[in-house]
Amino acid sequence: WRLRGINIINEIYDTGSFDWKVFSSKKKQELPGVYETIMTDFSNTLICCTKRKGIYQSIVRRFLIFMIKSEKDIPAIDEVLLRNFLVKISTDKPKSMDDVITALKKFLQHLNETNFTENRYYSILAAPRSRDRKVKPCMDANELAMMMNCINRNTPGGKRDYAILILAATTGLRAGDIASLRLDCINWKRNEIQFFQGKTSEATILPLPQNTAGRSLSFSSQRLCASE
């Protein structure tokens, strides 16, 4: 936090203002020109949110740098190179290996489709992987009912909270997607919720639970957001 404060002060001193952003001491590693072009073309094929696109770009850039340091080029990509890279990056990103696998699979598939290589090593990465995390048990119907019955639905805040929990329990929506919902996301005639997912930026349509559309949303001017 001290370093962040210093960076902000330096930016104000140099420019007279500052923008909210993430300050990082890590410098972007440059690639030879042909690889930068390949990276740009690959990035243009990604259909996801800006944050996730940046994650995939960072992983692929590290892979290309690892490939160059291993004295190989794209046609020479093989199982050994992939395995060695996965072993190396797993020490830095032990909890993000799903992102690593997805990024590599998308990149290698892009290389195959654009004729940079005839190898189909991206199919190897599609193999199921074991997970080291436990699957948390779900709430049973009685526990869910007890939780819902604790909410005072005679107040606007209680109606909002009830609607939020009903949406979470019946639709499986992410917390961030529920928090960003607005009333204009709801098609009342069709009893549907229409929105763009925050994680994937994909358009999604879900049925609106009947008990959410009824008593809990009788107020019309408030956002369905936990912060209000």
Side-chain angles (χ1 to χ4, degrees), residues 82-103:
L82 288 172
R83 182 191 62 199
N84 291 342
F85 175 72
L86 291 175
V87 170
K88 179 177 177 58
I89 199 173
S90 65
T91 61
D92 299 331
K93 294 179 173 289
K95 302 297 184 181
S96 304
M97 290 307 293
D98 279 345
D99 287 337
V100 173
I101 295 295
T102 300

Short mmCIF file of all heavy atoms in Angstrom, two decimals, residues 82-103:
data_model
loop_
_atom_site.label_atom_id
_atom_site.label_comp_id
_atom_site.label_asym_id
_atom_site.label_seq_id
_atom_site.Cartn_x
_atom_site.Cartn_y
_atom_site.Cartn_z
N LEU A 82 5.62 -28.95 -23.73
CA LEU A 82 4.41 -28.62 -22.99
C LEU A 82 4.50 -29.08 -21.54
O LEU A 82 4.16 -28.34 -20.61
CB LEU A 82 3.19 -29.24 -23.67
CG LEU A 82 2.74 -28.63 -24.99
CD1 LEU A 82 1.66 -29.48 -25.63
CD2 LEU A 82 2.25 -27.20 -24.79
N ARG A 83 4.97 -30.32 -21.36
CA ARG A 83 5.07 -30.86 -20.00
C ARG A 83 6.04 -30.04 -19.17
O ARG A 83 5.76 -29.69 -18.02
CB ARG A 83 5.53 -32.31 -20.06
CG ARG A 83 5.62 -32.99 -18.67
CD ARG A 83 6.32 -34.33 -18.78
NE ARG A 83 7.68 -34.15 -19.25
CZ ARG A 83 8.42 -35.13 -19.78
NH1 ARG A 83 7.89 -36.33 -19.96
NH2 ARG A 83 9.66 -34.89 -20.17
N ASN A 84 7.20 -29.70 -19.73
CA ASN A 84 8.20 -28.93 -18.99
C ASN A 84 7.67 -27.54 -18.62
O ASN A 84 7.94 -27.03 -17.52
CB ASN A 84 9.48 -28.80 -19.81
CG ASN A 84 10.21 -30.12 -19.95
OD1 ASN A 84 9.96 -31.07 -19.19
ND2 ASN A 84 11.09 -30.21 -20.93
N PHE A 85 6.92 -26.93 -19.54
CA PHE A 85 6.36 -25.61 -19.24
C PHE A 85 5.32 -25.70 -18.13
O PHE A 85 5.29 -24.86 -17.22
CB PHE A 85 5.73 -25.00 -20.49
CG PHE A 85 5.03 -23.70 -20.23
CD1 PHE A 85 5.76 -22.54 -19.98
CD2 PHE A 85 3.65 -23.62 -20.22
CE1 PHE A 85 5.13 -21.33 -19.72
CE2 PHE A 85 3.01 -22.42 -19.97
CZ PHE A 85 3.74 -21.27 -19.72
N LEU A 86 4.47 -26.73 -18.18
CA LEU A 86 3.44 -26.89 -17.16
C LEU A 86 4.07 -27.11 -15.78
O LEU A 86 3.59 -26.58 -14.78
CB LEU A 86 2.51 -28.05 -17.51
CG LEU A 86 1.61 -27.84 -18.72
CD1 LEU A 86 0.83 -29.12 -19.05
CD2 LEU A 86 0.63 -26.69 -18.48
N VAL A 87 5.15 -27.89 -15.75
CA VAL A 87 5.84 -28.12 -14.48
C VAL A 87 6.42 -26.81 -13.94
O VAL A 87 6.31 -26.51 -12.75
CB VAL A 87 6.96 -29.17 -14.66
CG1 VAL A 87 7.84 -29.23 -13.41
CG2 VAL A 87 6.36 -30.54 -14.95
N LYS A 88 7.02 -26.02 -14.83
CA LYS A 88 7.64 -24.77 -14.40
C LYS A 88 6.60 -23.75 -13.93
O LYS A 88 6.74 -23.15 -12.86
CB LYS A 88 8.45 -24.17 -15.55
CG LYS A 88 9.13 -22.84 -15.20
CD LYS A 88 9.98 -22.34 -16.34
CE LYS A 88 10.59 -20.97 -16.01
NZ LYS A 88 11.40 -21.02 -14.76
N ILE A 89 5.53 -23.56 -14.70
CA ILE A 89 4.56 -22.53 -14.35
C ILE A 89 3.71 -22.94 -13.14
O ILE A 89 3.15 -22.09 -12.45
CB ILE A 89 3.66 -22.19 -15.56
CG1 ILE A 89 2.98 -20.82 -15.35
CG2 ILE A 89 2.62 -23.28 -15.80
CD1 ILE A 89 2.23 -20.33 -16.57
N SER A 90 3.62 -24.23 -12.87
CA SER A 90 2.82 -24.69 -11.73
C SER A 90 3.41 -24.23 -10.40
O SER A 90 2.69 -24.13 -9.40
CB SER A 90 2.70 -26.21 -11.74
OG SER A 90 3.97 -26.82 -11.54
N THR A 91 4.70 -23.92 -10.37
CA THR A 91 5.30 -23.41 -9.13
C THR A 91 4.86 -21.98 -8.84
O THR A 91 4.82 -21.56 -7.68
CB THR A 91 6.84 -23.47 -9.22
OG1 THR A 91 7.28 -22.65 -10.32
CG2 THR A 91 7.31 -24.89 -9.46
N ASP A 92 4.52 -21.23 -9.90
CA ASP A 92 4.08 -19.85 -9.74
C ASP A 92 2.56 -19.74 -9.64
O ASP A 92 2.03 -18.84 -8.99
CB ASP A 92 4.56 -18.99 -10.91
CG ASP A 92 6.07 -18.96 -11.02
OD1 ASP A 92 6.73 -19.09 -9.97
OD2 ASP A 92 6.59 -18.81 -12.14
N LYS A 93 1.86 -20.62 -10.33
CA LYS A 93 0.40 -20.54 -10.42
C LYS A 93 -0.24 -21.87 -10.02
O LYS A 93 -0.99 -22.47 -10.79
CB LYS A 93 -0.03 -20.16 -11.83
CG LYS A 93 0.38 -18.77 -12.28
CD LYS A 93 -0.07 -18.51 -13.70
CE LYS A 93 0.17 -17.08 -14.10
NZ LYS A 93 -0.73 -16.14 -13.42
N PRO A 94 0.01 -22.36 -8.80
CA PRO A 94 -0.55 -23.66 -8.43
C PRO A 94 -2.08 -23.67 -8.38
O PRO A 94 -2.70 -24.71 -8.58
CB PRO A 94 0.06 -23.92 -7.04
CG PRO A 94 0.39 -22.56 -6.51
CD PRO A 94 0.79 -21.76 -7.70
N LYS A 95 -2.68 -22.51 -8.12
CA LYS A 95 -4.14 -22.44 -8.02
C LYS A 95 -4.79 -21.97 -9.32
O LYS A 95 -6.01 -21.80 -9.38
CB LYS A 95 -4.54 -21.48 -6.89
CG LYS A 95 -3.99 -21.87 -5.52
CD LYS A 95 -4.53 -23.22 -5.06
CE LYS A 95 -4.08 -23.55 -3.66
NZ LYS A 95 -4.56 -24.87 -3.20
N SER A 96 -3.98 -21.73 -10.36
CA SER A 96 -4.53 -21.19 -11.61
C SER A 96 -4.23 -22.08 -12.81
O SER A 96 -4.21 -21.61 -13.93
CB SER A 96 -3.96 -19.79 -11.87
OG SER A 96 -4.20 -18.92 -10.78
N MET A 97 -4.01 -23.36 -12.55
CA MET A 97 -3.64 -24.25 -13.65
C MET A 97 -4.78 -24.45 -14.64
O MET A 97 -4.54 -24.75 -15.82
CB MET A 97 -3.17 -25.59 -13.10
CG MET A 97 -1.82 -25.51 -12.39
SD MET A 97 -0.51 -24.75 -13.40
CE MET A 97 -0.33 -25.98 -14.69
N ASP A 98 -6.01 -24.29 -14.22
CA ASP A 98 -7.12 -24.37 -15.17
C ASP A 98 -7.00 -23.27 -16.22
O ASP A 98 -7.24 -23.50 -17.41
CB ASP A 98 -8.47 -24.25 -14.45
CG ASP A 98 -8.91 -25.58 -13.84
OD1 ASP A 98 -8.32 -26.61 -14.21
OD2 ASP A 98 -9.82 -25.58 -13.01
N ASP A 99 -6.63 -22.06 -15.78
CA ASP A 99 -6.43 -20.95 -16.72
C ASP A 99 -5.26 -21.25 -17.65
O ASP A 99 -5.31 -20.95 -18.85
CB ASP A 99 -6.16 -19.65 -15.96
CG ASP A 99 -7.41 -19.09 -15.30
OD1 ASP A 99 -8.52 -19.43 -15.76
OD2 ASP A 99 -7.28 -18.33 -14.33
N VAL A 100 -4.19 -21.83 -17.10
CA VAL A 100 -3.02 -22.17 -17.91
C VAL A 100 -3.39 -23.17 -18.99
O VAL A 100 -3.05 -23.00 -20.18
CB VAL A 100 -1.89 -22.73 -17.02
CG1 VAL A 100 -0.73 -23.24 -17.88
CG2 VAL A 100 -1.39 -21.66 -16.05
N ILE A 101 -4.09 -24.24 -18.60
CA ILE A 101 -4.49 -25.28 -19.56
C ILE A 101 -5.40 -24.69 -20.64
O ILE A 101 -5.23 -24.95 -21.84
CB ILE A 101 -5.20 -26.43 -18.84
CG1 ILE A 101 -4.24 -27.14 -17.88
CG2 ILE A 101 -5.78 -27.41 -19.84
CD1 ILE A 101 -3.09 -27.85 -18.54
N THR A 102 -6.37 -23.88 -20.23
CA THR A 102 -7.30 -23.29 -21.18
C THR A 102 -6.59 -22.37 -22.16
O THR A 102 -6.84 -22.40 -23.37
CB THR A 102 -8.40 -22.50 -20.44
OG1 THR A 102 -9.11 -23.39 -19.57
CG2 THR A 102 -9.39 -21.89 -21.42
N ALA A 103 -5.69 -21.53 -21.65
CA ALA A 103 -4.96 -20.59 -22.51
C ALA A 103 -4.10 -21.34 -23.53
O ALA A 103 -4.10 -21.02 -24.73
CB ALA A 103 -4.08 -19.67 -21.66
#
